[in-house]
Amino acid sequence: MTSIAARAKEWSQKINWLVERVCVALLVVLVLDVWLGVLVRYVIPLPLTFTEELARYLMIWMALLAVSSGIAHREHIGVEFIFGRLPAPVRRWLAVAFDVIAFAFFLALLIYGIGFAAKGFSRLTMIYAIPKGYPFMGVPLAAGMACLQLALIGIHDFFAERAPEATGATLAMPGGE
Amino acid sequence: MGALLVALAFFGLLAFGMPVGFAIGVAGMIGILDMGPRFMTMAPDRVFAGLDLFPFLAMPFFILAGEIMNRSGITQGLVKLADALVGWMRGGMAHSNMVASVMFAGITGSATADAAAFGNTLVPAMEKAGYTRRYACAVTAAGSIIGPTIPPSTLAIIYGSIMGVSIAGLFAAGILPGLLICAICMGVIALTARRKNLPKGEGRPSLCAVWAALREGFLAALLPVFILGSILGGFATPTEAAAIAVAYALFVGGVIYRALSWRDLYEIGVRTTRITGVIFLIIASASILGWWMTFNRIPQAIAEALLSVSDNPQIIIALIVVLLLLIGLVMDINATLIILAPVLAPLTAQIGMAPVHAGIMIILALNISLMTPPVGACLFVLASVTGEKVEGITRELWPFIIAEVAILLVIAFWSDLTLFIPRMLGL
């Protein structure tokens, strides 16, 4: 049984390895894009108008994709006051129940997100006039990745030898608070 | 029926420990489902629209700049500088903990990040110097909320973006409350130092020692001055200032200190994206729930309920403060801000509060709830970093909480004090 848990964890980390790299690549492009925006506003007056729009969409893609990474590392913060005081078997069932509920939430976002993105292809963005479907695709894609990670983490929680100690991070969360 | 289901799901899931971003999204989704499946397309729409705000870009950039500064060890200079300035007094390390919180506040703008960083470094150092661990944790928790009060502040960015209030104005208005909190906490330390027999520092440092510390901390201390100067002076938007801050941190950490390897940069990138993901999921989920609430006129119902108690502005302000402190006890403050700001902002406008004044009052109240037992996030961070029990920290924390709530009330009822700096800068 523990081998199933180990296998699920292994796959979760493999997928996350790729997602992390994509997220960092998006962050790098985002930083360069905003720097370019600052540069053309203050230093070199070039007529580059796309930087602001691109930055917003890069940010959304990066942040939404990173949601699945947060699931893989259990870094989404929660109030663990009661959870941490529950007996191990209850903690295990509760953690699995949360994984299933969250899975359903992201599945709904995935399903309705596909329709949302498809509709977006008939609308154009304000500045650069590209179909809005491209940026919108970030929502179903990220929801799909989150589903995948939740399924793997759920399997891990169910079969692992030790019941989970926490459902998410209780540790440092810069920026948020 | 729908409202009851949403409330049950929301509070039930949160209380039992489901991550905040999921619990809020699930509650919002249940509400939308209850309205009818045809409304379900609103969920992805709100996720996207809730994040599609240009000022939000400042958040990942400030997080990134803070991470670079911390990783390259530049911020250590600030701790030494704080110690040189106030460390010589009785309870000197507690005082310098507070002053360092103010200096860090200008870089990271995060309470839990400060709590974690200080919990790892200053708390053990204070213990070694003869302070009890619980007292060291209490001082750190009390100082940690200075981070999100003094700019750059994530909460100010979120509030300004969603309510259309000047972020520069909120930044300017946050400076004085942050300094006041530091001052009153230092007052509490000074008043209790003799009774608690807190250790004394090594005596007044020489001018040379202060100068040396100043030189060491100079490059780190320059960043907040630079960020604030450019935003408050009207030269740059918060997003641009944040992007420039990243460039500055990279230059100082990578070129001057030579403390950043490619591996470090990659890890900083991973951490930044993950932290951004966690915050943005909460924002996105709160947008779903917020849409459901607005559609069902719940904000108006809450506002009417508050106004039905009294139409006296002072009482309404007091009610808002109590409401925020109570909700902040059990809820993530970003989510509380997104859900409640559209309810409270019109209410404060109705009783004649200036938007910036109302914003700072709301932000400060939520910040204080970060360190209030039993579930304040900073307490948990400190407890897990240092191994001290939350109950133990709480025992030493009460005087600080009372002092900070007193500052909150002063800020809430004395608008001229809050608006003094923004007015001076013409914001």
Side-chain angles (χ1 to χ4, degrees), chain A residues 16-17 20-21 23-24 27 30-31 34-35 37-38 41-42 51-53 55-57 59-64 66-67 69-71 73-83 85-86 94 97-99 101-102 104-106 108-109 112-113 116 119 123 132 135-139 150 167-168 170-177, chain B residues 13-20 22 25-26 29 37 40-41 43-45 47-48 51-54 56-57 60-61 63-64 67 109-113 116 148 154 235-237 240 243-244 246-247 250 266 269-282 285 288 330 332-334 370 374-375 377 380-381 384-385 391:
Chain A
N16 186 50
W17 180 90
E20 266 180 14
R21 273 153 182 77
C23 286
V24 172
L27 177 66
L30 173 61
V31 170
V34 175
W35 281 351
V38 174
R41 190 175 145 189
Y42 295 102
T51 52
E52 184 200 315
E53 199 170 75
R56 271 188 286 127
Y57 297 148
M59 167 184 75
I60 294 173
W61 266 68
M62 177 197 81
L64 287 179
V67 169
S69 190
I71 295 171
H73 285 272
R74 283 218 177 280
E75 282 200 354
H76 289 280
I77 40 166
V79 184
E80 309 269 343
F81 188 69
I82 297 178
F83 187 88
R85 287 165 168 73
L86 293 171
L94 207 52
F98 286 159
D99 292 334
I101 295 169
F105 165 66
F106 283 108
L109 263 189
Y112 289 96
F116 165 69
K119 265 194 207 155
R123 289 155 61 194
K132 280 194 169 177
F136 286 178
M137 265 163 50
V139 178
L150 278 164
T167 55
T170 46
L171 260 179
M173 258 285 311
E177 282 139 25
Chain B
L13 294 173
L14 268 185
F16 281 97
M18 188 183 218
V20 180
F22 301 167
V26 169
M29 202 77 107
M40 285 297 279
T41 49
D45 184 85
V47 166
F48 195 88
L51 301 178
D52 192 15
L53 291 168
F54 187 70
F56 275 2
L57 270 165
F61 280 91
I63 295 170
L64 182 57
E67 287 288 318
S110 151
T112 42
T154 311
F235 306 115
T237 64
E240 288 167 346
I244 298 167
V246 170
L250 272 177
Y266 174 73
V270 170
R271 238 184 103 67
T272 303
T273 56
R274 224 184 280 152
I275 295 163
T276 310
V278 171
I279 300 175
F280 276 39
L281 175 67
I282 293 172
S285 292
I288 300 178
V330 291
D332 173 81
I333 59 171
N334 292 314
L370 275 177
V375 293
F380 272 87
V381 169
S384 58
V385 170
E391 293 84 346

Side-chain angles (χ1 to χ4, degrees), chain B residues 122-156:
Chain B
L122 286 189
V123 171
M126 284 175 75
E127 264 189 278
K128 213 186 268 176
Y131 295 80
T132 62
R133 190 191 293 170
R134 61 177 58 160
Y135 187 77
C137 286
V139 170
T140 307
S144 66
I145 70 150
I146 297 171
T149 309
I150 287 183
S153 151
T154 311
L155 288 179

Side-chain angles (χ1 to χ4, degrees), chain B residues 154-174:
Chain B
T154 311
L155 288 179
I157 296 170
I158 296 177
Y159 188 85
S161 306
I162 59 174
M163 299 315 304
V165 177
S166 155
I167 296 175
L170 288 169
F171 275 9

